[in-house]
Structure formats: structure tokens, C-alpha cells
Amino acid sequence: MKWLAALALALPAIVSASPQGIDVSNWQGTVNWGAVKANGVQFAYIKATEGTGYKSPSFNSQYIGATNAGLIRGSYHFARPDVSSGATQANYFLANGGGWSADGITLPGALDIEYNPYGATCYGLSASSMVAWITDFSNTYHTKTGRYPVIYTTTDWWKTCTGNASGFQNNNPLWIAHYASAIGELPAGYAYTTFWQFANSGSNGPGDQDLFNGDTAGLQRMAKGS
């Protein structure tokens, strides 16, 4: 299913047709993954790292808990383009939980790149420098794992900080954040999104609420890299 044809659908109709997921960080602490699974959640993204000096203290327990509950899971890195290169941060991510293997239960790592909570809107980078930074992270991750990372962002940030750069759609699955009943406009080049973060809370479990664009078999194929 391509969500191009479903942008105008009401959210409940989309939820009923798509695998549901959550994403969590240290803010959520201990997660009852059994309850999350029982609520119908099939996948999770878990924050592993930020910049080059932070690993979530909850990552290991959250990741193991999701695994033991039988979820397809992956990890994400919060980008800090103001502190080091894309390659440096990709390697830090890989060394601290961001890897991928074709075991059928591991999603490719995700790069969380959004407005800077600590200072300059675009981390002090020009649009061309930001595109180069993301490319550096992506290529480094691909070289080490054979998979390109998912890119998590908002269309507004992408327009503001990359100049609405196109080209990433050729390699990087998109995880769009948009809290509404429809997905809305996507970054340049993307005809559809692979994941949609549609709310920052919900009844399925703690953390943000996500949908996969497809069916369970498609989610499993993505984990396997096939």
C-alpha cells in the first residue's frame, strides 16, 4: 500500500490496516513489553544514542524487553550535527546498539534529525552542509551494515534545514512525524513514507505512536532486508 492514495483517509481506517508500533527513549524508563504486545503492537524503535557522548541508560533493558516480547525492533540515533561529523556519529551509534543483522527481527537503524532542542534551529549548518552531514551518516551506516538508515524527520524541518533536498528517497526509508489524521506533504522526492509517527501518546503503549506502511509480511521483509 502506498499512502499517496490514502492521505485523505481518516486515521482509524489507516490504523486498522497497518502494523502498529511505538518508539521510546529513556523518558519512558521501564516498559511493560508484554502489555504492549498484547495491545497489538508489532514493532518498536528504541533510542540508543545521541551525538557522540550519550547512550540511553534504558536502551539495553528496553531493547531486550522488546525482543523477549516478540516484537520486531530497531534502534535510533538522535542527530547532533553541531558536535561532530555524520560518520563519527554513525560509528558511535553502531558501537552502542545501532547495528543491523538479517535475523528477521531487526529493523535498520534510524537517524532522528529534527529541530535542535539545545540551540540554533539547524545546528548552525547551511542547507548544503546539512545535506552533506546526513549523507555522511547514511553512507557510513550503509558501509558497515549493508543497509541505509531510516530517516526520521518532519517535512517542515526538512524544508527549513536541507532546503527540501531530494535524492534521499533513492536509498533511505522515510519515517515522517506528523500529528494529524492524514500524513500531509512529504519531503521532496518521497512519494510515500515507510513509517508514520502520528501521535505522541496513545493506548497501545508508552511513547510515540507509529504505523508501518504495509502489512505484517512487508514489515518482516523490511527487517530481513529483502
Side-chain angles (χ1 to χ4, degrees):
M1 178 183 72
K2 305 298 189 190
W3 268 336
L4 264 185
L7 295 183
L9 291 179
L11 182 59
I14 299 175
V15 168
S16 67
S18 302
Q20 300 175 49
I22 62 171
D23 60 275
V24 298
S25 68
N26 191 54
W27 288 105
Q28 281 70 48
T30 300
V31 176
N32 184 339
W33 290 104
V36 169
K37 175 78 169 180
N39 285 338
V41 169
Q42 296 185 49
F43 70 92
Y45 265 107
I46 300 163
K47 183 175 182 178
T49 51
E50 179 173 326
T52 50
Y54 175 86
K55 178 179 178 179
S56 170
S58 298
F59 173 74
N60 289 342
S61 62
Q62 289 174 342
Y63 199 82
I64 292 168
T67 304
N68 290 342
L71 299 183
I72 293 175
R73 73 290 185 269
S75 54
Y76 74 89
H77 173 80
F78 188 89
R80 290 291 307 276
D82 54 331
V83 300
S84 56
S85 70
T88 297
Q89 292 191 33
N91 284 322
Y92 182 75
F93 180 43
L94 286 162
N96 290 281
W100 175 82
S101 62
D103 56 11
I105 60 171
T106 305
L107 294 167
L111 174 65
D112 175 353
I113 190 147
E114 56 183 276
Y115 284 114
N116 183 4
Y118 309 111
T121 296
C122 298
Y123 300 89
L125 273 62
S126 66
S128 60
S129 294
M130 184 64 75
V131 169
W133 193 97
I134 298 169
T135 300
D136 193 27
F137 184 101
S138 178
N139 288 344
T140 302
Y141 191 89
H142 178 258
T143 296
K144 298 293 180 64
T145 66
R147 297 294 299 273
Y148 285 99
V150 173
I151 292 176
Y152 167 95
T153 194
T154 66
T155 300
D156 184 70
W157 183 90
W158 196 260
K159 285 182 169 182
T160 301
C161 294
T162 75
N164 207 21
S166 182
F168 289 96
Q169 73 276 6
N170 296 325
N171 295 317
N172 301 94
L174 177 64
W175 178 7
I176 200 71
H178 187 63
Y179 300 164
S181 62
I183 295 166
E185 182 184 6
L186 298 177
Y190 283 97
Y192 61 92
T193 186
T194 299
F195 296 101
W196 175 20
Q197 184 187 88
F198 64 87
N200 60 8
S201 64
S203 60
N204 289 332
D208 301 314
Q209 310 293 298
D210 302 286
L211 296 173
F212 173 72
N213 181 5
D215 56 16
T216 297
L219 181 65
Q220 292 169 340
R221 286 193 298 271
M222 185 175 185
K224 293 176 183 176
S226 59

